Each structure stands twice: as C-alpha cells, then as structure tokens.
Amino acid sequence: MTPRIIKSHHIFLFPFRWDLKSEDTSIDNISFESRANMHKIKSMLANKIINQSRKVNGTECKWQFFNFEIKSAKDFSEYNYFYPYLRDAFFSKQTNEADDHISLLQLEYQGASCLNYEIEANFYQDESQIIKHFILEIENITLNIYNPGIGILAFHLSNYLTNDQDDILLINDFGRRIYPQYLGGNPLTSAPKSNFLAQKITLTNQQNKPFTTPETFKSYDTLPKKDNVLKLPNFISEILTENFQTNTSNLKLDQVLIEPVIDDRMFVCCWYGNSNKIKNLANLSCSIFNKNCSYSYIDDSWWYKYIFIDGKDLGAGSCRLRHELSEQHTYYRHIEFGTLIGVSRYSFVMLTTEINPKDIEKGFSFIRDVLLVHIQTMYFQLVMMALIQRASVIRFSHEVTNLSSLENINQTINASSIESLHKKYIQFVNKFYFREITAQEQGIDLYDMLLTKMDTERNVRDLNKEIDELDQFITLKEQSKQTQQATTLTKVATILLPASLIAGILGMNTLDTNQMSKFLISCHPQWAFWISILTVILISYLIISLINYRFELNLSLNPFKRKQK
C-alpha cells in the first residue's frame, strides 16, 4: 500500500488577551490581578469547559487539561531542546504548587483529529474569477493560557492534497483571517474577499458535514456598532464555547473577555516540500571577480510572498524593497542542503525538498522525521515564546494606559494598583522574557530573528520606561499627600507655639482659683488675663499669615508644584 505523503503542514496561531469577569461588576472596575488570576481561570475552565462535549453530526469533541509527558522520541527531543530552568514556560505538568504560582495552563481538544479545516476562496485574478477549495486535516487543536493574561489558540493542520506552490500561498493567506481588515464594495465584504478574505471557513468531520457553523463573514455586510466591532469567527467561538466573549455588553460572571493581539490575522507556521523550487532558489550567481554573490531567492517573488504571507498579490510594489526584505528575513544556513527558513512578524516558514516515498518505505525520512518534526515541536515553541512576549508587552501597555488615564488618576489609581501591575510584570520577566532559551546554535539564531523582527527588546525597554514613569507619578502623589499632612500638623503646632511659650514663662495659674467663679461672672474682669489672650491670638495670626505668604510665593515661582497640588 502506497503511504500517504504530506505536502505541507500549517499551524495557525491566534494570540489573544484575556480578562476574567471574576466579580459581579463592570470588568473595568475589577483589578488587573483579579482579572488575570490563574487560580480563578483554572477554576472556571474546570467547571465550564473541561469535559463539556460538543457533538455535531455524529462527531464529538471536548477540551481536556494537558500535562506534558515523554511518551515518544519526538517528546524527548522537544523537551531536551530547551534549557531545564525554562521548561515550565513550555510544558505544563501536575504540580503541588499553589495555583497562584502557575504560569501555564495547557488544554487539548480531544477528537480534533477527526476534523478538517476547510477553506473556500473566491477571487479575481487577471480579470478571471478563481474559486479554490482547500481541505486540511486537523492534527490537533491546543489552547495555552499564560499568567500575564495571555492566551494562544493553535490549529495544527496537514495538507495531503495539493503540492502547487501558489495553492500553499493561498492556504496561508486566506486560512489565517479571522475578520475583514477593511470593508468596501457591495456587499461590504466584497472588497476584502476579492483580495485575501475567505468566502467561507468551516470545521467539518470526515463525512464532510459541518462541525461548526460555516463562517462566511456576512455579519460584516451590515456596519457593526462602535462597541461591537469585532466578532470571533464561528470556527473559533464555537469550539471555545460561549464562555469566551469579545463584547463587554454580553459578558456574564465567570466569563472571559478576549481581544486579538495581531489584528485580523493569525500567526502562520508552515513547512512546505518542493524539490524543484528549493533547487531554483539555491542557484548562486556571482558578479565579476566573485565579489558579490547572491542566491536566487533574494529576487524571487514567490519566496517573498511565502515569507510575508501574500496570497495572490505581492504586498510590496518595489523590487528593490522586496530584495532587501527577502535578504533580511531569510535564514539560509542550510540552503545548499535544500532548506530555507523565512521569519517575519507574522510568519515562520520553511521550504525543503519533498518527502521521498522510498525513504518512508525504509522507515526513516529526514524531511518527515526531522525537519517537519522541528516545525511541529521545537520551532513551534520558539514562535510561541516570541508571541507570548509580544502579546504580554501589548497587554502591560494596555494596563499602564488604563491606569494613566485622567479619569483613573482622579478616581482609582493608587499604590496597590501599581503594586499589582509590578507583581505581574516581574512574573512575566522571570517566567517568559528570555534572551536565550536553547543551547542549539540554529535555535539561538532563529529565536534571535524572531525577537528582532517583532522588535521585542525595544518594546520591553519602552514598557519599562512607561511603568517607571507611572511609578514615579504615584510616588510624587503619595509624597504630596504626606507633605500636605505634615503642613497641617506644622500649622497646628505653630498656632499652639505662642500659647505654650507664654504659659511656660508666666505659668498656668494667672487667676486665683478661689476667685475663679467670681471672675467668670464679674463685670470687672482682670485685664492682664485678657491682654495675654489677645496677644497670643495676634501673634498666631501673624505667624500663619507669614507661612501662607511664603507658600503661595513658592507656588508662583514653581508652576509644576501648583499642578501637583
């Protein structure tokens, strides 16, 4: 029996920010620490998601917590690829630690291997209408929940049907879209659908019957309201269940509000085998005296589109720019061995030779058993870590912006809010922000490329600055409050100082105690006593007036202090 040969492997990753409505109030009034609490999200998942089966057209699937164990050579290779002290960030496991210390929850959609990911594209090219229908077999669907309030849903897909190089581009571009990037035409989705938005995406079973409601994006043909612009596509929302929402108006207690991190696109990991293509891209041409040699991939339009996930049209209209970008985003370490890797902010792609059926018959194929496995495991984890960092920076920047808003500054911002933010940020830095995660040289190079293309280091540096400035503002605010309290105490002490001084000099017994009652009701008071009292009042008034004058003078010379006041 002839073995089935995989043509390409695609992983679509949907990174998102999550906030749990853990209290029966507006989610804006719930603290960051409570909204992103791992104990509470784990409890919600256990009670409402785990073991809740979805059964449609005879196919049943359900979410289960996944705890990593080494059960195969592939598991061993993946586990051993990363530094030991970092493995908790990649692999969930049973632990006796308090839930507050959990940094990762992993879930697996059991039964997903019986499903297909179907993409229907309908567009025009060179004035001709083109209709494409792609069926990808789902290997797995995973959901990772991370402590900073970040999640990543991943579809692991295999293509056994088409080896056409242009079809691979269309699968990546049309298959990764979760909502229209823009609207135009009649109906409103006709413009994006003619370029990159799928006509329909559906999860189907092995009998080609729908497992999820076909997503046609027709809901966007009617302009959405401002507070309900984004709707998750059916192939995501129905497997995540109604417990995950994108609109605060529909959010109920113990439901999760999620927001995409990478606009309308999912991140794409892809392996594709095409012997002729990799051979052509590896052609080396040199100018006179062999001083300037370059491989053909630098000026190849298909390779550029493969890296930057351009489906039917090039995303850059300058050949010079495409040349520069292709050179900057390509890792060609093994090009003469038949392997090219491309890295961008939205993709991690690999092109190799095709899988040889004779190698499979012998029991080992380097392409299938090594390079493809790298994309499915180690390189997939490199991408996951880079996405966690990128999404976390966006998450923390969002929280800083909320705390820094004028409304919050006047109402709710306080030291405890900053302390909660600092706590989460320190956990992120210690658990997920790593400059190097493996000792493997190629892994180091590729991870560096991912961080460079996502501009992670600069973004983290800017985030540090934002948090420091917010911390300084709160410190100034607290110091101003303490200064005002000290000023009040100083004024009280100043008022009492003359009286204390006179009492110390003259003593407290200015009246004969035997004559006290007569003195209080007499029409002829003792003038010495009253003169002393009036003198004390006058001196106190003069001292306070002097203090206030000096204080106002300082404010007029320093407007910043007036604003802080």
Side-chain angles (χ1 to χ4, degrees):
M1 182 178 179
T2 304
R4 292 201 311 161
I5 305 298
I6 184 173
K7 313 298 183 183
S8 62
H9 186 77
H10 310 256
I11 307 175
F12 296 145
L13 297 100
F14 171 56
F16 58 88
R17 191 189 82 215
W18 62 267
D19 293 279
L20 176 66
K21 187 175 181 181
S22 56
E23 302 171 17
D24 194 11
T25 183
S26 171
I27 197 164
D28 295 329
N29 296 329
I30 303 174
S31 68
F32 177 34
E33 188 170 7
S34 184
R35 285 182 281 117
N37 186 285
M38 291 296 285
H39 169 74
K40 293 179 180 179
I41 191 72
K42 180 181 179 182
S43 177
M44 187 282 288
L45 292 171
N47 294 330
K48 294 189 174 184
I49 303 294
I50 300 301
N51 292 323
Q52 300 298 314
S53 298
R54 175 180 174 82
K55 189 173 183 179
V56 180
N57 288 325
T59 302
E60 184 175 3
C61 297
K62 61 183 179 181
W63 287 106
Q64 288 282 4
F65 283 122
F66 173 77
N67 296 299
F68 182 84
E69 295 179 6
I70 297 178
K71 297 180 179 180
S72 65
K74 184 168 71 172
D75 294 335
F76 172 82
S77 300
E78 181 180 10
Y79 189 76
N80 199 47
Y81 191 80
F82 301 99
Y83 289 129
Y85 64 92
L86 304 180
R87 290 171 183 160
D88 286 348
F90 295 100
F91 310 106
S92 63
K93 60 182 181 180
Q94 294 285 1
T95 177
N96 294 322
E97 293 182 354
D99 289 334
D100 290 341
H101 295 109
I102 296 176
S103 57
L104 167 65
L105 294 172
Q106 288 184 306
L107 291 83
E108 190 176 55
Y109 204 48
Q110 291 189 353
S113 58
C114 297
L115 302 176
N116 297 324
Y117 192 99
E118 295 198 23
I119 308 165
E120 183 178 314
N122 188 344
F123 57 91
Y124 283 87
Q125 193 164 27
D126 298 329
E127 298 183 356
S128 299
Q129 185 179 18
I130 298 176
I131 299 176
K132 290 284 187 176
H133 186 205
F134 304 109
I135 300 177
L136 308 175
E137 296 184 13
I138 297 179
E139 303 291 342
N140 200 3
I141 301 176
T142 59
L143 175 63
N144 285 14
I145 302 293
Y146 299 95
N147 192 19
I150 298 300
I152 299 179
L153 176 70
F155 295 90
H156 302 253
L157 316 171
S158 293
N159 160 39
Y160 290 91
L161 300 179
T162 178
N163 195 43
D164 183 84
Q165 64 182 34
D166 292 328
D167 283 348
I168 304 304
L169 301 179
L170 295 175
I171 289 172
N172 285 339
D173 196 17
F174 284 86
R176 65 173 174 157
R177 303 285 175 170
I178 58 175
Y179 63 88
Q181 189 180 74
Y182 59 85
L183 298 175
N186 187 18
L188 293 177
T189 55
S190 60
K193 284 183 177 179
S194 67
N195 288 291
F196 47 71
L197 185 65
Q199 193 74 21
K200 182 171 62 176
I201 297 180
T202 314
L203 301 189
T204 61
N205 61 19
Q206 293 179 341
Q207 289 74 42
N208 291 327
K209 294 181 179 180
F211 182 75
T212 60
T213 305
E215 180 54 70
T216 61
F217 304 101
K218 288 185 178 179
S219 62
Y220 292 94
D221 286 332
T222 302
L223 280 176
K225 296 180 180 179
K226 184 175 66 173
D227 59 348
N228 191 24
V229 173
L230 174 63
K231 183 183 82 72
L232 286 178
N234 296 327
F235 58 90
I236 291 179
S237 64
E238 292 183 9
I239 65 171
L240 286 181
T241 76
E242 70 281 357
N243 293 290
F244 290 82
Q245 298 285 336
T246 57
N247 189 355
T248 55
S249 62
N250 299 328
L251 197 64
K252 300 177 182 177
L253 184 64
D254 287 337
Q255 289 187 337
V256 180
L257 180 69
I258 65 175
E259 181 177 327
V261 172
I262 312 182
D263 53 55
D264 64 308
R265 296 162 283 189
M266 292 189 278
F267 191 97
V268 176
C269 284
C270 182
W271 166 84
Y272 172 45
N274 187 321
S275 300
N276 291 330
K277 191 64 183 179
I278 187 65
K279 182 179 179 180
N280 291 336
L281 296 183
N283 286 334
L284 189 64
S285 59
C286 298
S287 62
I288 192 169
F289 304 123
N290 291 332
K291 288 185 178 180
N292 297 307
C293 297
S294 63
Y295 291 104
S296 298
Y297 75 81
I298 292 179
D299 294 311
D300 188 88
S301 297
W302 182 89
W303 176 247
Y304 175 88
K305 292 165 75 173
Y306 187 45
I307 295 176
F308 294 98
I309 318 299
D310 291 335
K312 66 186 194 69
D313 298 313
L314 285 165
S318 166
C319 61
R320 181 175 180 178
L321 178 62
R322 292 196 300 269
H323 177 101
E324 293 173 357
L325 292 177
S326 294
E327 187 172 24
Q328 294 168 7
H329 290 75
T330 300
Y331 185 72
Y332 58 91
R333 180 189 185 99
H334 299 303
I335 186 172
E336 294 175 12
F337 298 154
T339 300
L340 263 183
I341 296 175
V343 177
S344 75
R345 295 181 64 197
Y346 300 97
S347 65
F348 185 104
V349 297
M350 177 187 287
L351 177 67
T352 70
T353 56
E354 299 165 15
I355 296 175
N356 191 334
K358 294 182 179 179
D359 292 338
I360 295 178
E361 291 175 0
K362 295 176 181 178
F364 176 78
S365 165
F366 181 77
I367 304 299
R368 183 195 65 178
D369 299 324
V370 178
L371 296 183
L372 177 56
V373 168
H374 271 62
I375 279 283
Q376 295 171 325
T377 56
M378 286 81 91
Y379 294 163
F380 169 71
Q381 296 288 10
L382 295 181
V383 170
M384 290 283 280
M385 182 57 65
L387 282 177
I388 294 167
Q389 295 177 14
R390 181 180 178 187
S392 297
V393 169
I394 295 173
R395 172 69 202 245
F396 283 114
S397 294
H398 173 81
E399 295 299 326
V400 170
T401 301
N402 280 349
L403 288 174
S404 302
S405 65
L406 292 177
E407 179 182 3
N408 285 331
I409 286 176
N410 292 330
Q411 295 182 11
T412 62
I413 191 168
N414 51 51
S416 62
S417 300
I418 305 301
E419 182 181 356
S420 174
L421 180 66
H422 267 293
K423 179 181 177 181
K424 285 288 185 181
Y425 182 66
I426 291 171
Q427 290 173 344
F428 158 69
V429 171
N430 290 334
K431 291 287 187 177
F432 298 108
Y433 183 52
F434 304 112
R435 306 293 180 87
E436 185 175 303
I437 58 179
T438 177
Q440 300 295 320
E441 188 170 355
Q442 185 164 312
I444 293 173
D445 293 341
L446 291 172
Y447 184 62
D448 285 344
M449 282 188 71
L450 280 164
L451 297 188
T452 300
K453 302 315 173 190
M454 294 186 183
D455 210 3
T456 301
E457 185 173 351
R458 181 183 65 84
N459 290 333
V460 170
R461 187 168 59 249
D462 290 344
L463 177 61
N464 280 330
K465 184 178 179 182
E466 290 177 15
I467 294 178
D468 287 343
E469 288 176 348
L470 184 61
D471 191 42
Q472 290 174 12
F473 174 81
I474 293 301
T475 301
L476 286 174
K477 189 176 179 181
E478 293 293 325
Q479 289 176 349
S480 177
K481 184 177 179 181
Q482 294 172 3
T483 301
Q484 290 177 0
Q485 293 173 347
T487 300
T488 301
L489 292 175
T490 300
K491 289 181 179 181
V492 172
T494 302
I495 293 173
L496 297 178
L497 178 61
S500 301
L501 180 61
I502 293 174
I505 296 174
L506 302 179
M508 294 299 294
N509 301 321
T510 58
L511 295 175
D512 185 352
T513 55
N514 294 327
Q515 301 294 325
M516 180 65 74
S517 60
K518 181 179 178 180
F519 170 79
L520 292 174
I521 61 175
S522 172
C523 295
H524 305 283
Q526 298 183 17
W527 291 106
F529 176 81
W530 290 111
I531 289 173
S532 300
I533 294 297
L534 291 173
T535 302
V536 169
I537 293 174
L538 179 61
I539 294 174
S540 299
Y541 174 77
L542 291 173
I543 293 175
I544 292 175
S545 297
L546 179 61
I547 292 174
N548 287 334
Y549 172 76
R550 294 293 300 274
F551 183 68
E552 292 295 330
L553 181 62
N554 287 337
L555 285 180
S556 65
L557 296 176
N558 192 342
F560 176 75
K561 289 186 177 180
R562 183 181 295 276
K563 292 179 180 180
Q564 291 299 320
K565 179 183 176 185

